[in-house]
Structure formats: C-alpha cells, structure tokens
Amino acid sequence: MPTQTWQKSSYCQEGEACVHISAPARTSIQVTESADPTQTVLTTTPIAFGALLDTLKALK
C-alpha cells in the first residue's frame, strides 16, 4: 500500500492545531487535524471540499 502524502494548510501557524489535506484519488479528498490523537480522517468529494473553501473565503 503506498504511503499517503499529506499537505499542511498554508494558514497553519506554529503549534499542533493544523489541518492536513490529502487527495489519494481524483474522486476523494481526505482531511485530518494534527492535534487529533485518534488521527480521525474525514473523506469528501472535491466538489464538496471546494464549496467549503469558497464559503470560508467568503467569511473573511
């Protein structure tokens, strides 16, 4: 099984509360949070993840 590559959010500051994103396939995106001791991974579609990012950007 290939090792999954995680990318840390560019908005992450120093410390342990960082969001990590991985796209193991074109049909899914996985998100985890570095401070989560259980390493819970949420899986979503690229469309839903894009909608989340658009919403967050609009709140700025």
Side-chain angles (χ1 to χ4, degrees), residues 14-35:
E14 295 300 320
E16 294 187 21
C18 298
V19 173
H20 295 245
I21 303 161
S22 179
R26 291 179 182 236
T27 58
S28 67
I29 292 179
Q30 295 180 327
V31 181
T32 191
E33 201 257 314
S34 61

Side-chain angles (χ1 to χ4, degrees), residues 7-20:
Q7 178 181 345
K8 183 169 60 170
S9 168
S10 61
Y11 287 95
C12 179
Q13 298 182 15
E14 295 300 320
E16 294 187 21
C18 298
V19 173
H20 295 245

